[in-house]
Amino acid sequence: MFAKTRKVIVVLSSGALLLAAAGCGGNADPVEPTGTSPTPTTLASSSPPTSSPSPTAKPTPTPVPASSNGPAKNWPVPKMPEAAKKKSEVGIKAFAEYYYALIEYTIQTNDTKPIKQVTKRTCVECGSTYIDPFDNNKKAGSWLAGANIKAVITKTILQPDQGIALYTTTQGEMSLYMSDGTLQGVFPATPTPAPMMMLLRFEKGWLVESMEYLDEKS
C-alpha cells in the first residue's frame, strides 16, 4: 500500500523535474495635523454638515481552483492559527494541520514561498516532494490540478525543543498539465490512508525538520 503511495510521489516529482528541464536549461506614516486654524462661520452662512460618501469596498476576487485552464487564481494563502504558534501538544497538532493546508496551497498555485518559511532544508521529503517540483513546474509553465491532500493527526508528542506528529494522509486524483494546456498524465488517488510522522523543531515557532512514511506495522 505504502509502496504505491511512494510511487505516486516519485512519479510526480520526476514528472515535474522533467518539465523543468524542458522549460529552462532554480505603513505609511500617520498624517500630522496642520497648524491652520479653523475658519469661523456665521449663523447666516452655517449649514448642516454634509456626510462624506462611504468608500466603496473592493470586491474580494473569487478563488478559482487549478484546472485544465491553468493554476489556481486568487487562491487564499492559509493563515497560521494562533494555536499553531504554541509550544505544546495542541500547538503541534494545529501546526501539522496548517502545514498540510500549505501543501495543498502549493499544489494549487505553484507558489512555494509560504511553505518554505516554515520548512527546514533538512527535510528531504519536504523539498523533493512539495517544494522543488513546484518551483520547477512554475519555471516550466506546467501545473497540477486536483490533489485535495488531507491529514488526520492521531498523536502528538512534545519534547524540550522538538515535537512529533503522527498522522495519516490521503490524496485525491491529480492531473498534470503542460504549459500549453496539454494533459501530461493523471495520478490516481491513494487507495487507503498512509501513516506518516512529522518531526518539528521549535525556533521562535515550529519548523518542519523531517517527514517520513511509516511502516505498515508501526
Side-chain angles (χ1 to χ4, degrees):
M1 175 183 70
F2 306 108
K4 292 182 179 179
T5 302
R6 287 180 177 277
K7 185 177 180 181
V8 171
I9 294 300
V10 170
V11 172
L12 166 59
S13 301
S14 302
L17 291 172
L18 179 60
L19 290 173
C24 59
N27 282 337
D29 295 330
V31 178
E32 295 292 340
T34 62
T36 58
S37 301
T39 303
T41 58
T42 65
L43 291 176
S45 63
S46 62
S47 59
T50 58
S51 58
S52 301
S54 301
T56 303
K58 293 183 179 180
T60 302
T62 302
V64 179
S67 68
S68 59
N69 296 322
K73 297 179 181 179
N74 308 318
W75 207 253
V77 180
K79 184 178 180 180
M80 183 185 296
E82 286 300 315
K85 303 175 184 179
K86 299 183 182 298
K87 189 178 181 181
S88 65
E89 291 190 355
V90 171
I92 294 171
K93 179 178 184 295
F95 181 86
E97 293 172 340
Y98 165 69
Y99 195 80
Y100 266 82
L102 288 178
I103 290 176
E104 179 69 15
Y105 170 83
T106 304
I107 294 173
Q108 290 288 329
T109 65
N110 279 345
D111 179 11
T112 62
K113 290 181 181 179
I115 200 170
K116 285 177 178 177
Q117 293 175 353
V118 290
T119 305
K120 295 179 70 70
R121 285 304 298 187
T122 54
C123 184
V124 177
E125 183 73 19
C126 305
S128 64
T129 305
Y130 303 122
I131 296 177
D132 297 340
F134 295 94
D135 280 340
N136 293 330
N137 279 353
K138 188 173 183 178
K139 292 175 183 177
S142 55
W143 70 92
L144 278 170
N148 193 29
I149 289 183
K150 303 290 184 183
V152 177
I153 315 303
T154 57
K155 186 176 181 179
T156 58
I157 303 170
L158 178 64
Q159 297 178 338
D161 292 314
Q162 291 181 313
I164 297 173
L166 302 178
Y167 59 97
T168 59
T169 182
T170 56
Q171 171 193 297
E173 182 180 275
M174 296 187 295
S175 299
L176 176 63
Y177 294 93
M178 301 287 283
S179 59
D180 61 357
T182 302
L183 178 63
Q184 174 70 11
V186 177
F187 308 102
T190 52
T192 55
M196 293 189 67
M197 179 182 75
M198 181 185 294
L199 177 63
L200 308 177
R201 180 167 293 278
F202 198 87
E203 298 177 2
K204 297 181 180 180
W206 291 113
L207 300 173
V208 179
E209 197 163 48
S210 69
M211 295 171 66
E212 62 180 274
Y213 288 91
L214 297 178
D215 233 13
E216 191 171 358
K217 297 180 181 180
S218 299

